[in-house]
Structure formats: structure tokens, C-alpha cells
Amino acid sequence: MYDRFDRNINYLRISVTDRCNLRCSYCMPEEGIQLLRHSDILSFSEITSFTAAAVKYGVTKVRITGGEPLVRKGITALVRMISDISGIEDLSMTTNGVLLKEFAVELKSAGLQRVNISLDTIDPEKFRAITRTGDISQVFEGIKAAVNAGLLPVKINCVIKESKKEPEAMEVTRFCQDNNLEIRYIRQMDLVTGHFSPVDGGTGGDCQSCNRLRLTANGKLKPCLFSDIELDIRELGFEKALMKSVELKPECGSKNETGKFYNIGG
Ligand code: SAM
Ligand code: SF4
């Protein structure tokens, strides 16, 4: 699918839940969120059929995200259903890593190719402060399990304030060098004020080359993270939502006053 600005839209990011087992300060309020009703959350068969439609129209790259995707019940079965769609060349997941030790082997055998794991510091106290509840040793174990299971390349998503030379980020950089992990630095964004910049080491945040569509856990297809535009796949039907979303994809993001990271999936 080509949009009005001749960008080849071939990348679908799917948020499979708005729930999370952490409360990162830049993503969720401490008290938690008003959770989506179960009936509003897309079923596995809706997610899979929608993905198959997107693949039919040229999507080749799919990422599963959240909230925390590993807290969605039956996630391995969903990964298997998606990986069975022929035409997907790259199937990945973004996770906070907390539950990866438990899931890495089964995710790999279900067809997941690789993971991005979020890690902004290697200091246990700072990690707890950022995530408000997290135990960093679980993430370290999750990273090891992902490498051992062959979910490669394992990439680390490191959120920074301004620069990758900040002390926390430098420590994460060293940790990645020592453990043969790739790293991408994501500047902390603000959806409401429209504060964003390209991801260092990754492909996000560069409007000119943006090839993404995002599906929220409750079935809204979003052509741009920094826009309020969304198309309801249940109301419109899958193909029409896809066509409209590509047609309305803005040349460049501005701001998003209605969405949240935990709902859209970053
Ligand atoms: N729970 C999973 C995780 O944390 O990896 C997946 C969902 S999370 C919303 C996806 C990515 O968005 C993570 O790498 C996270 O660090 C990033 N993120 C969340 N809030 C952000 C913000 N305000 N600015 C930049 N990145 C953010
Ligand atoms: Fe949860 Fe990921 Fe948001 Fe942190 S960034 S609160 S782990 S969804």
C-alpha cells in the first residue's frame, strides 16, 4: 500500500492489551488506568483476520506490543496464529521482559522471530523508581532466556531524556556491548505536546520514511502515533479501515490528545 506521499506502508504494530505489570513513569499513571472492557478487546481471531487482510495488501512486517503483550492470556497461541499467515517476513515483539523467562522458548517455537526488550537503566533501585514496581533481575533473566531461545537479534529499547550520553544510558550501552545486544535510544516523547524525534539506532520517529500502521487493543487503526486520527476496524470492516488509514496518513505527525503509549504500544 502506497500513501499520498509515496511511502510504502508495510509495517503493522499490534497492541494486544492495555494492561501492564509495570507502571513506567513516562507511560502510565501510578494509580493505573481505566482498563478497557473485555468485550471491547479484539479477540485472537479478529486480530489474526485483520492481520491477514493487512498482509494481503502488502504488510510484511508485524510487531506485537501492548501494554505488556506477555500479560495477554494465551499470547503464545496468538503468536502462532499470526505466524501461520503466509507473507509475514518479520515477526517481532516489544516487551518489558519481566515474563520472558517463562515464555521465550514457547514464543520461539510458535514462530516469533525476535524481541525488543525495554531497559532504561541497569541499576535495580533506579529501575524500580522508573517502573514503580519492577524487579530488574527478572528482566536480566528474560534477556538471557530470549538470547538462549534464539529470539535474535535481541534489541534493547532505552528511553533517554535528551542524550545517549546520560549516565543511565551509558551504563545500558556498556551492558549491551558486554552481552552482544543491539541498542536503540528512544527520546522520551510526549503525545499531547507533540514532542518526538527519530529513534537513534532504529527506524521510528522519522516521518519521511514512516511505513507504519498501528492497531490498538480495542480495534482502532491509527495511521500516525502523533495524530488523533483512528479508524474503527469493527465498524468499517477490515479492508475499508486499511484503505482509509493509508489514505489519511499525515505527511508528518503533530500531536495526539486522545491516545496513550500503553494503549497504542509505542
Ligand atoms: N510493555 C512493553 C515495553 O515496555 O516494552 C511494550 C509496550 S511499551 C508502550 C513500547 C515502548 O514504548 C517501550 O520501549 C517503552 O519504553 C516506550 N515508551 C513508553 N512511553 C514512552 C514515552 N513517553 N516516550 C518514549 N517511549 C516510550
Ligand atoms: Fe508497561 Fe511498557 Fe508502559 Fe512500561 S512502557 S508501563 S512496561 S506498557
Side-chain angles (χ1 to χ4, degrees):
M1 293 175 285
Y2 280 83
D3 74 355
R4 291 173 296 157
F5 308 100
D6 215 28
R7 293 173 298 197
N8 182 8
I9 310 304
N10 59 8
Y11 180 12
L12 176 66
R13 298 173 62 104
I14 307 170
S15 171
V16 297
T17 180
D18 58 336
R19 284 150 214 257
C20 189
N21 45 4
L22 298 181
R23 290 278 174 277
C24 303
S25 54
Y26 45 70
C27 180
M28 275 200 187
E30 186 160 15
E31 65 279 11
I33 52 164
Q34 171 86 49
L35 291 170
L36 292 171
R37 288 182 309 184
H38 272 291
S39 56
D40 288 336
I41 293 182
L42 294 176
S43 67
F44 286 1
S45 98
E46 285 175 303
I47 293 173
T48 309
S49 309
F50 177 80
T51 306
V55 169
K56 190 174 121 196
Y57 284 101
V59 163
T60 55
K61 190 174 165 181
V62 174
R63 177 175 295 275
I64 297 166
T65 175
E68 172 49 38
L70 297 181
V71 304
R72 174 91 192 237
K73 213 166 148 217
I75 185 67
T76 307
L78 177 62
V79 167
R80 182 165 286 117
M81 287 164 80
I82 294 174
S83 77
D84 279 346
I85 300 169
S86 78
I88 299 176
E89 292 164 11
D90 182 19
L91 179 58
S92 62
M93 177 182 281
T94 303
T95 168
N96 60 32
V98 168
L99 297 173
L100 250 186
K101 186 181 174 197
E102 192 182 317
F103 281 101
V105 168
E106 57 183 83
L107 287 171
K108 176 72 183 177
S109 66
L112 189 72
Q113 293 170 7
R114 59 190 185 90
V115 286
N116 283 42
I117 302 170
S118 301
L119 187 68
D120 308 335
T121 175
I122 56 162
D123 180 280
E125 297 304 317
K126 286 178 188 148
F127 182 80
R128 177 164 289 268
I130 293 168
T131 62
R132 296 197 183 104
T133 55
D135 171 358
I136 202 168
S137 65
Q138 293 176 312
V139 182
F140 290 147
E141 288 183 11
I143 293 171
K144 252 189 232 150
V147 171
N148 290 339
L151 291 166
L152 302 170
V154 172
K155 298 186 186 177
I156 299 298
N157 284 5
C158 179
V159 172
I160 54 175
K161 289 249 158 38
E162 294 293 334
S163 150
K164 60 182 176 187
K165 300 290 175 206
E166 288 157 12
E168 269 71 60
M170 298 266 279
E171 285 173 21
V172 180
T173 305
R174 215 163 304 126
F175 171 79
C176 289
Q177 285 163 351
D178 292 347
N179 291 282
N180 249 331
L181 306 165
E182 289 185 27
I183 182 164
R184 337 158 50 239
Y185 307 92
I186 306 172
R187 269 180 79 172
Q188 193 172 318
M189 304 180 220
D190 186 327
L191 293 174
V192 176
T193 61
H195 185 78
F196 67 98
S197 49
V199 171
D200 185 343
T203 54
D206 176 15
C207 300
Q208 263 190 9
S209 62
C210 182
N211 57 354
R212 302 168 177 210
L213 296 177
R214 294 175 165 87
L215 180 64
T216 66
N218 57 343
K220 316 286 188 203
L221 188 61
K222 299 193 64 70
C224 173
L225 179 57
F226 280 86
S227 155
D228 290 311
I229 300 172
E230 57 184 29
L231 292 310
D232 190 313
I233 67 164
R234 282 172 168 157
E235 273 172 25
L236 286 172
F238 299 166
E239 301 201 355
K240 196 158 178 197
L242 278 163
M243 296 304 116
K244 279 242 161 269
S245 186
V246 171
E247 190 183 311
L248 295 174
K249 189 171 166 73
E251 182 170 18
C252 199
S254 49
K255 55 188 176 175
N256 182 340
E257 291 176 321
T258 50
K260 301 277 186 263
F261 269 93
Y262 58 78
N263 195 21
I264 308 172

